[in-house]
mmCIF file of all heavy atoms in Angstrom:
data_model
loop_
_atom_site.group_PDB
_atom_site.id
_atom_site.type_symbol
_atom_site.label_atom_id
_atom_site.label_comp_id
_atom_site.label_asym_id
_atom_site.label_seq_id
_atom_site.Cartn_x
_atom_site.Cartn_y
_atom_site.Cartn_z
ATOM 1 N N ILE A 58 -21.637 -28.418 -147.874
ATOM 2 C CA ILE A 58 -20.644 -27.524 -147.277
ATOM 3 C C ILE A 58 -20.616 -26.126 -147.892
ATOM 4 O O ILE A 58 -19.920 -25.250 -147.385
ATOM 5 C CB ILE A 58 -19.233 -28.147 -147.290
ATOM 6 C CG1 ILE A 58 -18.786 -28.458 -148.713
ATOM 7 C CG2 ILE A 58 -19.203 -29.403 -146.434
ATOM 8 C CD1 ILE A 58 -17.343 -28.921 -148.805
ATOM 9 N N GLN A 59 -21.396 -25.901 -148.941
ATOM 10 C CA GLN A 59 -21.459 -24.566 -149.537
ATOM 11 C C GLN A 59 -22.578 -23.703 -148.952
ATOM 12 O O GLN A 59 -22.685 -22.531 -149.278
ATOM 13 C CB GLN A 59 -21.615 -24.672 -151.055
ATOM 14 C CG GLN A 59 -20.449 -25.360 -151.742
ATOM 15 C CD GLN A 59 -19.114 -24.705 -151.448
ATOM 16 O OE1 GLN A 59 -18.995 -23.486 -151.397
ATOM 17 N NE2 GLN A 59 -18.094 -25.517 -151.220
ATOM 18 N N GLU A 60 -23.421 -24.308 -148.115
ATOM 19 C CA GLU A 60 -24.508 -23.551 -147.479
ATOM 20 C C GLU A 60 -23.942 -22.480 -146.547
ATOM 21 O O GLU A 60 -22.854 -22.648 -145.983
ATOM 22 C CB GLU A 60 -25.406 -24.489 -146.661
ATOM 23 C CG GLU A 60 -26.273 -25.397 -147.481
ATOM 24 C CD GLU A 60 -27.432 -24.689 -148.153
ATOM 25 O OE1 GLU A 60 -27.945 -23.689 -147.612
ATOM 26 O OE2 GLU A 60 -27.827 -25.151 -149.234
ATOM 27 N N ALA A 61 -24.696 -21.409 -146.356
ATOM 28 C CA ALA A 61 -24.263 -20.325 -145.470
ATOM 29 C C ALA A 61 -23.979 -20.838 -144.056
ATOM 30 O O ALA A 61 -22.976 -20.448 -143.431
ATOM 31 C CB ALA A 61 -25.316 -19.221 -145.442
ATOM 32 N N ASP A 62 -24.856 -21.721 -143.543
ATOM 33 C CA ASP A 62 -24.652 -22.275 -142.203
ATOM 34 C C ASP A 62 -23.319 -23.019 -142.123
ATOM 35 O O ASP A 62 -22.612 -22.953 -141.121
ATOM 36 C CB ASP A 62 -25.777 -23.245 -141.818
ATOM 37 C CG ASP A 62 -27.093 -22.541 -141.514
ATOM 38 O OD1 ASP A 62 -27.131 -21.299 -141.498
ATOM 39 O OD2 ASP A 62 -28.091 -23.261 -141.289
ATOM 40 N N ALA A 63 -22.977 -23.737 -143.172
ATOM 41 C CA ALA A 63 -21.730 -24.496 -143.191
ATOM 42 C C ALA A 63 -20.528 -23.555 -143.160
ATOM 43 O O ALA A 63 -19.548 -23.805 -142.452
ATOM 44 C CB ALA A 63 -21.668 -25.391 -144.426
ATOM 45 N N LYS A 64 -20.636 -22.494 -143.901
ATOM 46 C CA LYS A 64 -19.538 -21.518 -143.921
ATOM 47 C C LYS A 64 -19.386 -20.863 -142.559
ATOM 48 O O LYS A 64 -18.270 -20.654 -142.091
ATOM 49 C CB LYS A 64 -19.767 -20.501 -145.027
ATOM 50 C CG LYS A 64 -19.606 -21.132 -146.404
ATOM 51 C CD LYS A 64 -19.876 -20.161 -147.524
ATOM 52 C CE LYS A 64 -19.705 -20.882 -148.858
ATOM 53 N NZ LYS A 64 -20.015 -20.067 -149.992
ATOM 54 N N GLU A 65 -20.530 -20.539 -141.928
ATOM 55 C CA GLU A 65 -20.495 -19.957 -140.584
ATOM 56 C C GLU A 65 -19.820 -20.891 -139.588
ATOM 57 O O GLU A 65 -19.049 -20.461 -138.741
ATOM 58 C CB GLU A 65 -21.926 -19.663 -140.096
ATOM 59 C CG GLU A 65 -22.249 -18.202 -140.015
ATOM 60 C CD GLU A 65 -23.684 -17.998 -139.547
ATOM 61 O OE1 GLU A 65 -24.001 -18.384 -138.406
ATOM 62 O OE2 GLU A 65 -24.460 -17.450 -140.340
ATOM 63 N N LEU A 66 -20.148 -22.178 -139.685
ATOM 64 C CA LEU A 66 -19.579 -23.174 -138.778
ATOM 65 C C LEU A 66 -18.139 -23.539 -139.131
ATOM 66 O O LEU A 66 -17.421 -24.088 -138.298
ATOM 67 C CB LEU A 66 -20.421 -24.456 -138.805
ATOM 68 C CG LEU A 66 -21.834 -24.357 -138.247
ATOM 69 C CD1 LEU A 66 -22.616 -25.620 -138.577
ATOM 70 C CD2 LEU A 66 -21.801 -24.129 -136.746
ATOM 71 N N GLY A 67 -17.749 -23.268 -140.366
ATOM 72 C CA GLY A 67 -16.414 -23.639 -140.821
ATOM 73 C C GLY A 67 -16.241 -25.135 -141.014
ATOM 74 O O GLY A 67 -15.127 -25.648 -140.917
ATOM 75 N N ILE A 68 -17.334 -25.849 -141.321
ATOM 76 C CA ILE A 68 -17.241 -27.317 -141.382
ATOM 77 C C ILE A 68 -16.372 -27.827 -142.525
ATOM 78 O O ILE A 68 -15.896 -28.958 -142.460
ATOM 79 C CB ILE A 68 -18.619 -28.014 -141.398
ATOM 80 C CG1 ILE A 68 -19.385 -27.737 -142.679
ATOM 81 C CG2 ILE A 68 -19.430 -27.657 -140.187
ATOM 82 C CD1 ILE A 68 -20.615 -28.598 -142.826
ATOM 83 N N LYS A 69 -16.162 -27.003 -143.524
ATOM 84 C CA LYS A 69 -15.297 -27.436 -144.632
ATOM 85 C C LYS A 69 -13.910 -27.825 -144.109
ATOM 86 O O LYS A 69 -13.247 -28.684 -144.666
ATOM 87 C CB LYS A 69 -15.188 -26.311 -145.656
ATOM 88 C CG LYS A 69 -14.528 -26.707 -146.943
ATOM 89 C CD LYS A 69 -14.590 -25.574 -147.942
ATOM 90 C CE LYS A 69 -14.020 -26.018 -149.267
ATOM 91 N NZ LYS A 69 -14.101 -24.954 -150.259
ATOM 92 N N GLU A 70 -13.523 -27.206 -143.009
ATOM 93 C CA GLU A 70 -12.196 -27.453 -142.427
ATOM 94 C C GLU A 70 -12.213 -28.534 -141.342
ATOM 95 O O GLU A 70 -11.154 -28.890 -140.826
ATOM 96 C CB GLU A 70 -11.639 -26.145 -141.847
ATOM 97 C CG GLU A 70 -11.673 -24.963 -142.797
ATOM 98 C CD GLU A 70 -10.992 -25.240 -144.133
ATOM 99 O OE1 GLU A 70 -9.923 -25.891 -144.131
ATOM 100 O OE2 GLU A 70 -11.535 -24.826 -145.177
ATOM 101 N N TRP A 71 -13.381 -29.021 -140.971
ATOM 102 C CA TRP A 71 -13.457 -30.030 -139.909
ATOM 103 C C TRP A 71 -12.804 -31.327 -140.377
ATOM 104 O O TRP A 71 -12.937 -31.710 -141.543
ATOM 105 C CB TRP A 71 -14.892 -30.311 -139.519
ATOM 106 C CG TRP A 71 -15.594 -29.198 -138.797
ATOM 107 C CD1 TRP A 71 -15.128 -27.943 -138.538
ATOM 108 C CD2 TRP A 71 -16.914 -29.242 -138.263
ATOM 109 N NE1 TRP A 71 -16.066 -27.210 -137.875
ATOM 110 C CE2 TRP A 71 -17.178 -27.982 -137.690
ATOM 111 C CE3 TRP A 71 -17.887 -30.218 -138.219
ATOM 112 C CZ2 TRP A 71 -18.386 -27.683 -137.071
ATOM 113 C CZ3 TRP A 71 -19.103 -29.923 -137.603
ATOM 114 C CH2 TRP A 71 -19.340 -28.666 -137.030
ATOM 115 N N PRO A 72 -12.158 -32.040 -139.445
ATOM 116 C CA PRO A 72 -11.577 -33.338 -139.801
ATOM 117 C C PRO A 72 -12.669 -34.313 -140.243
ATOM 118 O O PRO A 72 -13.770 -34.303 -139.715
ATOM 119 C CB PRO A 72 -10.933 -33.827 -138.506
ATOM 120 C CG PRO A 72 -10.854 -32.650 -137.602
ATOM 121 C CD PRO A 72 -11.911 -31.688 -138.047
ATOM 122 N N ARG A 73 -12.319 -35.107 -141.223
ATOM 123 C CA ARG A 73 -13.240 -36.146 -141.727
ATOM 124 C C ARG A 73 -12.688 -37.493 -141.294
ATOM 125 O O ARG A 73 -12.067 -38.195 -142.085
ATOM 126 C CB ARG A 73 -13.360 -36.039 -143.247
ATOM 127 C CG ARG A 73 -13.985 -34.721 -143.648
ATOM 128 C CD ARG A 73 -13.979 -34.509 -145.141
ATOM 129 N NE ARG A 73 -14.495 -33.176 -145.422
ATOM 130 C CZ ARG A 73 -15.221 -32.869 -146.480
ATOM 131 N NH1 ARG A 73 -15.522 -33.791 -147.361
ATOM 132 N NH2 ARG A 73 -15.647 -31.632 -146.655
ATOM 133 N N GLU A 74 -12.930 -37.773 -140.008
ATOM 134 C CA GLU A 74 -12.404 -38.999 -139.414
ATOM 135 C C GLU A 74 -13.365 -39.463 -138.330
ATOM 136 O O GLU A 74 -14.215 -38.692 -137.872
ATOM 137 C CB GLU A 74 -11.015 -38.750 -138.822
ATOM 138 C CG GLU A 74 -11.025 -37.652 -137.775
ATOM 139 C CD GLU A 74 -9.638 -37.142 -137.393
ATOM 140 O OE1 GLU A 74 -8.701 -37.304 -138.175
ATOM 141 O OE2 GLU A 74 -9.529 -36.584 -136.299
#
Side-chain angles (χ1 to χ4, degrees):
I58 60 173
Q59 298 304 320
E60 288 287 329
D62 287 355
K64 291 178 181 177
E65 250 179 64
L66 293 170
I68 67 170
K69 190 174 184 178
E70 309 306 320
W71 290 5
R73 296 174 185 215
E74 58 194 22

